[in-house]
Coordinates of all heavy atoms in Angstrom, one line a residue:
A1136 N 0.8 -1.1 0.0 CA 0.0 -0.1 0.0 C 0.9 1.3 0.0 O 1.8 1.4 0.9 CB -0.9 0.0 1.2
I1137 N 0.6 2.1 -1.0 CA 1.4 3.4 -1.0 C 0.5 4.4 -0.4 O -0.8 4.4 -0.5 CB 1.7 3.8 -2.4 CG1 2.6 4.9 -2.6 CG2 0.4 3.9 -3.4 CD1 3.2 5.2 -3.9
S1138 N 1.2 5.4 0.3 CA 0.3 6.5 1.0 C 1.3 7.7 1.0 O 2.5 7.6 0.9 CB -0.1 6.1 2.3 OG 1.0 5.8 3.2
R1139 N 0.7 8.8 1.4 CA 1.5 10.0 1.5 C 1.2 10.9 2.6 O -0.1 10.8 3.0 CB 1.5 10.8 0.1 CG 0.1 11.4 -0.3 CD 0.1 12.1 -1.7 NE 1.1 13.1 -1.7 CZ 1.8 13.4 -2.8 NH1 1.6 12.8 -3.9 NH2 2.7 14.4 -2.8
D1140 N 2.0 11.6 3.2 CA 1.8 12.6 4.3 C 2.4 13.9 3.9 O 3.5 14.1 4.0 CB 2.4 12.1 5.6 CG 2.0 13.0 6.8 OD1 1.7 14.2 6.6 OD2 2.0 12.4 7.9
N1141 N 1.6 14.8 3.3 CA 2.0 16.0 2.7 C 2.6 16.9 3.9 O 3.6 17.8 3.6 CB 0.9 16.8 2.0 CG 0.5 16.0 0.7 OD1 1.3 15.3 0.2 ND2 -0.8 16.1 0.4
A1142 N 2.2 16.8 5.0 CA 2.7 17.7 6.2 C 4.1 17.2 6.5 O 4.9 18.1 7.0 CB 1.8 17.5 7.4
K1143 N 4.5 16.0 6.1 CA 5.8 15.5 6.5 C 6.6 15.3 5.2 O 7.8 14.9 5.3 CB 5.8 14.1 7.2 CG 5.1 14.2 8.5 CD 5.1 12.9 9.2 CE 4.5 13.0 10.6 NZ 4.5 11.7 11.3
N1144 N 6.0 15.7 4.0 CA 6.8 15.7 2.8 C 7.3 14.3 2.5 O 8.4 14.1 2.1 CB 8.0 16.7 2.8 CG 7.5 18.1 2.7 OD1 6.2 18.4 2.5 ND2 8.4 19.0 2.8
T1145 N 6.5 13.3 2.8 CA 7.0 11.9 2.9 C 5.9 11.0 2.1 O 4.7 11.2 2.4 CB 7.2 11.3 4.2 OG1 8.2 12.2 4.9 CG2 7.7 9.9 4.3
V1146 N 6.4 10.1 1.4 CA 5.6 9.0 0.8 C 6.0 7.6 1.4 O 7.2 7.5 1.7 CB 5.7 9.0 -0.7 CG1 7.1 8.7 -1.2 CG2 4.7 8.1 -1.3
Y1147 N 5.1 6.7 1.6 CA 5.4 5.5 2.2 C 4.9 4.4 1.3 O 4.2 4.5 0.5 CB 4.6 5.4 3.5 CG 4.7 6.5 4.5 CD1 3.9 7.6 4.7 CD2 5.8 6.5 5.4 CE1 4.1 8.6 5.6 CE2 6.1 7.5 6.3 CZ 5.2 8.6 6.4 OH 5.5 9.5 7.4
L1148 N 5.7 3.2 1.6 CA 5.2 1.9 1.0 C 5.1 0.9 2.1 O 6.1 0.5 2.6 CB 6.2 1.6 -0.2 CG 5.9 0.3 -0.9 CD1 4.7 0.6 -1.8 CD2 7.0 -0.2 -1.7
R1149 N 3.9 0.5 2.4 CA 3.7 -0.6 3.3 C 3.8 -1.8 2.6 O 3.0 -2.1 1.7 CB 2.4 -0.3 4.0 CG 2.0 -1.4 5.1 CD 2.9 -1.4 6.2 NE 2.5 -2.4 7.3 CZ 3.1 -2.5 8.5 NH1 4.1 -1.7 8.8 NH2 2.7 -3.4 9.4
M1150 N 4.7 -2.7 3.1 CA 4.7 -4.0 2.3 C 4.3 -5.2 3.3 O 5.1 -5.3 4.4 CB 6.1 -4.2 1.8 CG 6.6 -3.0 1.0 SD 8.3 -3.3 0.3 CE 9.3 -3.3 1.7
N1151 N 3.3 -5.9 3.0 CA 2.9 -7.0 3.8 C 3.1 -8.2 3.2 O 3.3 -8.3 2.0 CB 1.3 -6.8 4.1 CG 1.1 -5.6 4.9 OD1 1.8 -5.1 5.8 ND2 -0.1 -4.8 4.5
S1152 N 3.1 -9.4 3.9 CA 3.3 -10.7 3.4 C 4.5 -10.8 2.4 O 4.3 -11.3 1.4 CB 2.0 -11.1 2.8 OG 0.9 -11.1 3.7
L1153 N 5.6 -10.3 3.0 CA 6.8 -10.3 2.0 C 7.2 -11.7 1.6 O 7.1 -12.6 2.4 CB 7.9 -9.6 2.8 CG 7.7 -8.0 2.7 CD1 8.7 -7.4 3.8 CD2 8.1 -7.5 1.3
K1154 N 7.5 -11.7 0.3 CA 8.1 -13.0 -0.3 C 9.5 -12.8 -0.7 O 10.0 -11.6 -0.8 CB 7.2 -13.3 -1.5 CG 5.8 -13.4 -1.3 CD 5.0 -13.5 -2.6 CE 3.5 -13.5 -2.3 NZ 2.8 -13.8 -3.6
S1155 N 10.2 -13.9 -0.8 CA 11.6 -13.8 -1.3 C 11.7 -13.1 -2.6 O 12.7 -12.3 -2.8 CB 12.2 -15.2 -1.4 OG 11.5 -16.0 -2.4
E1156 N 10.8 -13.2 -3.4 CA 10.8 -12.5 -4.8 C 10.7 -10.9 -4.7 O 10.7 -10.3 -5.6 CB 9.8 -13.1 -5.8 CG 8.4 -13.2 -5.2 CD 8.0 -14.6 -4.7 OE1 9.0 -15.2 -3.9 OE2 6.9 -15.0 -5.0
D1157 N 10.4 -10.5 -3.5 CA 10.3 -9.1 -3.3 C 11.7 -8.5 -2.9 O 11.9 -7.3 -2.8 CB 9.4 -8.7 -2.0 CG 7.9 -9.0 -2.4 OD1 7.4 -8.8 -3.5 OD2 7.3 -9.6 -1.5
T1158 N 12.7 -9.3 -2.8 CA 14.0 -8.8 -2.5 C 14.5 -8.0 -3.7 O 14.4 -8.4 -4.9 CB 15.0 -10.1 -2.4 OG1 14.6 -10.8 -1.2 CG2 16.5 -9.5 -2.3
A1159 N 14.9 -6.8 -3.5 CA 15.4 -5.8 -4.5 C 15.8 -4.6 -3.7 O 15.7 -4.4 -2.6 CB 14.2 -5.5 -5.4
V1160 N 16.5 -3.7 -4.5 CA 16.7 -2.3 -4.1 C 15.4 -1.5 -4.5 O 15.0 -1.6 -5.7 CB 18.0 -1.7 -4.8 CG1 18.0 -0.2 -4.3 CG2 19.1 -2.5 -4.4
Y1161 N 14.9 -0.8 -3.5 CA 13.7 -0.1 -3.7 C 14.0 1.4 -3.9 O 14.7 2.0 -3.1 CB 12.7 -0.3 -2.7 CG 11.9 -1.6 -2.7 CD1 12.6 -2.8 -2.5 CD2 10.6 -1.8 -3.1 CE1 12.0 -4.0 -2.6 CE2 9.9 -2.9 -3.2 CZ 10.7 -4.1 -2.9 OH 10.1 -5.3 -3.0
Y1162 N 13.5 2.0 -5.0 CA 13.8 3.4 -5.3 C 12.4 4.2 -5.3 O 11.4 3.7 -5.7 CB 14.3 3.6 -6.7 CG 15.7 2.9 -6.8 CD1 15.7 1.6 -7.4 CD2 16.8 3.6 -6.7 CE1 17.0 0.9 -7.5 CE2 18.0 3.0 -6.8 CZ 18.1 1.7 -7.3 OH 19.3 1.1 -7.4
C1163 N 12.6 5.4 -4.6 CA 11.4 6.3 -4.7 C 11.7 7.3 -5.8 O 12.8 7.7 -6.2 CB 11.5 7.1 -3.4 SG 10.4 8.5 -3.2
A1164 N 10.6 7.7 -6.5 CA 10.7 8.7 -7.6 C 9.5 9.7 -7.6 O 8.5 9.4 -6.9 CB 10.5 8.0 -8.9
G1165 N 9.8 10.9 -8.1 CA 8.8 11.9 -8.0 C 8.9 12.9 -9.2 O 9.9 13.0 -10.0
R1166 N 7.7 13.5 -9.5 CA 7.6 14.5 -10.5 C 6.4 15.4 -10.2 O 5.5 15.1 -9.5 CB 7.3 13.7 -11.9 CG 6.1 12.9 -11.9 CD 5.5 12.5 -13.2 NE 5.0 13.7 -14.0 CZ 4.9 13.9 -15.2 NH1 5.3 12.9 -16.0 NH2 4.4 14.9 -15.8
W1167 N 6.6 16.7 -10.7 CA 5.6 17.6 -10.6 C 4.3 17.2 -11.4 O 4.5 16.7 -12.5 CB 6.1 19.0 -11.1 CG 5.0 20.1 -11.1 CD1 4.2 20.4 -12.1 CD2 4.8 20.9 -10.0 NE1 3.3 21.4 -11.7 CE2 3.7 21.8 -10.4 CE3 5.3 21.1 -8.7 CZ2 3.3 22.8 -9.5 CZ3 4.8 22.1 -7.9 CH2 3.8 22.9 -8.3
S1168 N 3.1 17.5 -10.8 CA 1.9 17.1 -11.5 C 0.9 18.0 -11.0 O 0.7 18.2 -9.8 CB 1.6 15.7 -11.2 OG 0.3 15.3 -11.7
D1169 N 0.0 18.5 -11.9 CA -1.1 19.3 -11.6 C -2.5 18.6 -11.9 O -3.5 19.2 -12.0 CB -1.0 20.6 -12.3 CG -1.0 20.5 -13.8 OD1 -1.0 19.4 -14.3 OD2 -1.0 21.5 -14.5
T1170 N -2.3 17.2 -12.0 CA -3.6 16.5 -12.3 C -3.6 15.3 -11.2 O -2.6 15.1 -10.4 CB -3.5 15.9 -13.6 OG1 -2.6 14.8 -13.7 CG2 -3.2 16.9 -14.7
G1171 N -4.6 14.5 -11.3 CA -4.8 13.3 -10.5 C -4.2 12.1 -11.1 O -4.5 11.0 -10.7
A1172 N -3.3 12.2 -12.1 CA -2.7 11.0 -12.8 C -1.7 10.4 -12.0 O -1.1 10.9 -11.1 CB -2.0 11.5 -14.1
V1173 N -1.6 9.0 -12.2 CA -0.5 8.2 -11.6 C 0.4 7.9 -12.7 O -0.1 7.7 -13.9 CB -1.0 7.0 -10.9 CG1 -1.8 7.4 -9.6 CG2 -1.9 6.2 -11.7
F1174 N 1.6 7.7 -12.4 CA 2.6 7.4 -13.5 C 3.4 6.1 -13.2 O 4.2 6.0 -12.2 CB 3.6 8.6 -13.5 CG 2.9 9.9 -13.8 CD1 2.5 10.7 -12.7 CD2 2.7 10.3 -15.0 CE1 1.9 11.9 -13.0 CE2 2.0 11.5 -15.3 CZ 1.6 12.3 -14.3
P1175 N 3.2 5.1 -14.0 CA 3.7 3.8 -13.8 C 5.1 3.5 -14.6 O 5.6 2.5 -14.3 CB 2.7 2.8 -14.3 CG 2.1 3.6 -15.4 CD 2.1 5.0 -15.0
L1176 N 5.5 4.5 -15.2 CA 6.8 4.3 -16.0 C 7.9 5.1 -15.5 O 7.7 6.3 -15.1 CB 6.6 4.8 -17.5 CG 5.5 4.1 -18.4 CD1 5.4 4.6 -19.7 CD2 5.7 2.5 -18.3
A1177 N 9.1 4.5 -15.4 CA 10.2 5.1 -14.8 C 10.7 6.4 -15.5 O 11.2 7.4 -15.0 CB 11.4 4.1 -14.7
T1178 N 10.4 6.4 -16.9 CA 10.8 7.5 -17.7 C 9.9 8.7 -17.5 O 10.2 9.8 -17.9 CB 10.7 7.1 -19.2 OG1 9.4 6.6 -19.4 CG2 11.7 6.1 -19.5
Q1179 N 8.8 8.6 -16.7 CA 7.9 9.7 -16.4 C 8.4 10.5 -15.2 O 7.8 11.5 -14.9 CB 6.5 9.1 -16.2 CG 5.9 8.6 -17.4 CD 4.6 7.8 -17.2 OE1 4.5 7.1 -16.3 NE2 3.6 8.2 -18.0
Y1180 N 9.4 10.1 -14.5 CA 9.8 10.7 -13.2 C 11.0 11.5 -13.5 O 11.9 11.3 -14.3 CB 10.0 9.7 -12.2 CG 8.6 9.2 -11.7 CD1 8.2 8.0 -12.3 CD2 7.9 9.7 -10.7 CE1 6.9 7.5 -11.8 CE2 6.8 9.2 -10.2 CZ 6.2 8.1 -10.9 OH 5.1 7.5 -10.5
T1181 N 11.1 12.6 -12.7 CA 12.2 13.6 -12.8 C 13.3 13.4 -11.8 O 14.4 13.5 -12.0 CB 11.6 15.1 -12.7 OG1 10.6 15.3 -13.6 CG2 12.8 16.0 -13.0
Y1182 N 12.8 13.0 -10.6 CA 13.7 12.9 -9.4 C 13.7 11.4 -8.9 O 12.7 10.8 -8.9 CB 13.3 13.9 -8.4 CG 13.2 15.3 -8.9 CD1 12.0 16.0 -9.1 CD2 14.3 16.0 -9.0 CE1 11.9 17.3 -9.5 CE2 14.3 17.3 -9.5 CZ 13.1 17.9 -9.7 OH 13.0 19.2 -10.2

């Protein structure tokens, strides 16, 4: 589950029932947006 706390300038990823295949380096990405769109492609992010 992904969530955000704008007061803390923080986004979270809650990971439950973890599996061995979840092993990885996890990266956070961000981009300016003035819509309610979600962006699933890495190329769509600036930071």
Side-chain angles (χ1 to χ4, degrees):
I1137 188 171
S1138 62
R1139 63 188 302 150
D1140 185 336
N1141 293 332
K1143 296 182 178 180
N1144 293 350
T1145 300
V1146 63
Y1147 303 98
L1148 184 68
R1149 177 71 176 182
M1150 305 184 293
N1151 298 321
S1152 303
L1153 281 164
K1154 306 175 182 179
S1155 57
E1156 51 263 45
D1157 295 319
T1158 295
V1160 177
Y1161 283 72
Y1162 297 92
C1163 172
R1166 59 163 287 160
W1167 176 270
S1168 174
D1169 58 1
T1170 71
V1173 292
F1174 301 95
L1176 301 178
T1178 54
Q1179 294 173 309
Y1180 289 89
T1181 309
Y1182 304 104

